[in-house]
């Protein structure tokens, strides 16, 4: 009883004592947590900046420096300690000003480039940290895989017919150089792509040849059109400008589009394998050998005749009036590409003749198709089939 009245009397003191003890106990904890909190904020900011920079890289730099900073042809790699350890100012200057007399353009707005100082600072953060595996995924997801290493093969018969023209040897040389160096951006037969304008173009033909050569030699500042003077000989530049001037005499189909294989990584293969098992193996069998329900995909003829783009298109759009659905409404583009990469990996060991899987009880059992609801192994078939598969 006494004790309680004591408590009552000194309640306020006691409370403040408790408060002091409480604060004293928490203070070091708080002091310890504060830098952690700061670090977390800084890390979040860095992550945010690098995240933006990955998109900037995909849109502006991957074309020359590669999917994951590995470098392409004359364009140097960036994914190395030499770059990571470069100081902030040096990197900022290289990216802002470019490298004079090389194909590295100036990116800073002060030098006619498209990027703000803030964006360049984000790119510097990307260069100084090793995030290249994430960059690769971003570039692929945005569909901005570099086309640069891809060249095309001029049609031999049409090339020979061009070579027989009065100015033929120069035009043929121009075509060959174009197919090796320019087709990746300016497209088949010079008709342009979503990256670069058409060079087979009446308005451009009106320009004096000298002006066209000047563009090829020096590029167009602030765009992806690099200056080629350190790469091409003056004969090559002359043959290209002649081709551009006389493109209306070149038969269409002379320079086909480059075939652009789908990029495969360990992760995309893994994803492709999982998605194939979930969505495709039921009809095409676990290893693509085919079943009575669907043709074999793992056979030399099919894999050799169907390039990655064609296969992606078949899977995306399906085959009308068959059970082969248009998968583009069920899977993302990146997922379909992962499946194509997985199927493509069969090619080196694909048999000449299809050997379809038969019988029931295995993953490709023929019996399930007739009665998907009651299979011998108790499975009910893939999820989409249970959810009311359209009977087309
Ligand atoms: C048109 C092709 C092209 C594009 C696009 C391009 N670069 Fe470059 N870059 C080059 C070339 C070529 C060099 C080497 C120049 C030289 O010889 O010094 C280079 C050099 C560099 C260097 C210095 C490398 C070193 O080892 O010294 C950095 C950093 C760099 N680029 C970053 C970028 C960034 C960031 C972007 C995107 C904003 C970009 N580049 C876009 C062609 C390109
Ligand atoms: C990395 C992609 C890329 C490559 C490779 C490339 N170009 Fe370009 N080129 C462009 C872009 C983008 C433009 C448009 C620039 C602009 O917006 O003005 C352009 C513009 C041009 C122009 C000016 C067109 C006009 O209408 O004024 C010419 C000429 C040209 N390129 C020639 C070539 C030749 C020849 C080659 C091969 C040696 C080549 N380019 C390689 C991206 C590229
Ligand atoms: C319900 C059964 C079924 C499923 C599931 C299925 N397919 Fe098909 N697929 C077919 C049939 C049937 C054809 C043949 C269509 C025809 O008659 O041309 C076909 C054709 C194809 C072809 C073209 C083969 C050729 O020889 O031209 C490809 C590629 C293909 N499928 C890939 C896939 C992929 C990848 C998946 C999974 C995302 C898938 N299919 C899922 C039934 C299926």
């Amino acid at each position: 009883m006494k004790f309680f009245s004591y408590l009552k009397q000194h309640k306020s003191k006691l409370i403040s004592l408790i408060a002091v003890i409480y604060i004293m106990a928490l203070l070091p904890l708080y002091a310890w947590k504060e830098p952690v909190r700061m670090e977390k904020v800084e890390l979040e900011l860095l992550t945010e900046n690098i995240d933006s920079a990955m998109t900037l890289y995909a849109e502006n730099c991957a074309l020359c420096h590669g999917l994951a900073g590995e470098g392409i042809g004359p364009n140097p790699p960036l994914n190395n300690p030499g770059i990571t350890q470069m100081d902030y100012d040096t990197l900022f200057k290289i990216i802002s000003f470019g490298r004079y007399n090389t194909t590295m353009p100036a990116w800073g707005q002060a030098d006619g480039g498209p990027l703000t100082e803030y964006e360049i600072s984000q790119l510097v953060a990307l260069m100084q940290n090793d995030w290249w595996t994430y960059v690769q995924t971003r570039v692929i997801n945005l569909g901005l895989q570099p086309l640069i290493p891809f060249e095309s093969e001029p049609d031999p018969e049409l090339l020979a017919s061009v070579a027989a023209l009065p100015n033929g040897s120069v035009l043929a040389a121009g075509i060959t150089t174009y197919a090796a160096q320019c087709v990746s951006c300016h497209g088949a037969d010079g008709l342009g792509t979503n990256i670069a304008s058409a060079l087979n173009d009446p308005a451009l033909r009106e320009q004096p040849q000298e002006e066209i050569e000047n563009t090829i030699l020096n590029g167009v500042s602030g765009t992806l059109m690099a200056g080629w003077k350190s790469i091409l000989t003056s004969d090559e530049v002359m043959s290209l400008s002649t081709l551009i001037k006389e493109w209306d005499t070149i038969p269409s189909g002379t320079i086909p589009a480059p075939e652009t294989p789908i990029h495969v990584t360990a992760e995309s293969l893994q994803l492709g394998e999982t998605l194939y098992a979930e969505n495709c193996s039921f009809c095409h069998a676990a290893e693509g050998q085919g079943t009575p329900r669907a043709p074999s995909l793992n056979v030399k003829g099919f894999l050799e005749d169907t390039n990655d783009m064609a296969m992606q298109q078949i899977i995306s759009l399906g085959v009308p009036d068959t059970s082969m659905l248009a998968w583009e409404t069920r899977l993302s583009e990146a997922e379909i590409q992962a499946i194509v990469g997985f199927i493509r990996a069969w090619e080196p060991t694909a048999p000449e003749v299809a050997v379809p899987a038969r019988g029931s009880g295995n993953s490709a059992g023929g019996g399930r198709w007739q009665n998907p609801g009651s299979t011998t192994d108790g499975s009910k078939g893939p999820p989409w089939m249970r959810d009311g598969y359209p009977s087309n």
Side-chain angles (χ1 to χ4, degrees), residues 337-360:
Q337 290 184 341
I339 296 176
V340 173
F342 173 68
I343 293 176
R344 180 64 65 202
W346 291 329
E347 187 162 353
T349 56
E352 298 285 345
V353 180
V355 193
R358 290 191 183 280
S360 59

Side-chain angles (χ1 to χ4, degrees), residues 184-206:
S184 54
C185 290
H186 287 286
D189 287 331
L191 293 172
T193 64
N194 54 359
I195 300 172
S197 49
L199 299 183
N200 178 3
D201 174 67
L204 189 58
R205 279 195 279 279
E206 295 297 309

Side-chain angles (χ1 to χ4, degrees), residues 145-312:
Q145 297 90 309
L147 299 168
I148 291 264
F150 303 120
E151 40 179 66
S152 77
E153 202 59 49
D155 181 284
E157 277 172 34
L158 294 174
L159 187 64
S161 77
V162 169
L165 295 172
N167 206 5
S169 61
V170 174
L171 287 173
I175 288 169
T176 307
T177 308
Y178 180 90
Q181 303 281 16
C182 323
V183 71
S184 54
C185 290
H186 287 286
D189 287 331
L191 293 172
T193 64
N194 54 359
I195 300 172
S197 49
L199 299 183
N200 178 3
D201 174 67
L204 189 58
R205 279 195 279 279
E206 295 297 309
Q207 274 187 24
Q209 189 154 354
E210 221 173 56
E211 202 174 307
I212 297 175
E213 286 189 7
N214 204 31
T215 306
I216 301 173
L217 288 169
N218 299 307
V220 182
S221 166
T223 76
L224 286 171
M225 179 60 194
W228 289 84
K229 65 178 153 214
S230 58
I231 294 167
L232 300 177
T233 66
S234 51
D235 276 354
E236 285 170 327
V237 173
M238 189 270 292
S239 66
L240 283 166
S241 62
T242 308
L243 170 68
I244 292 171
K245 287 291 282 180
E246 298 179 25
W247 214 312
D248 51 344
T249 64
I250 308 295
S252 71
T254 304
I255 308 172
E259 195 194 297
T260 53
I262 283 168
H263 268 282
V264 173
T265 62
E267 292 80 25
S268 79
L269 267 183
Q270 183 68 54
L271 176 66
E273 181 172 8
T274 308
L275 290 169
Y276 180 90
E278 283 169 2
N279 298 294
C280 323
S281 66
F282 183 73
C283 290
H284 290 285
E287 278 145 21
Q289 61 273 50
T291 72
R293 293 185 276 281
S296 154
L297 304 175
N298 185 2
V299 55
K300 271 231 148 46
F302 170 72
L303 290 167
E304 279 172 5
D305 293 347
T306 316
N307 70 32
D308 285 355
M309 282 162 109
M311 205 188 301
Q312 184 180 342

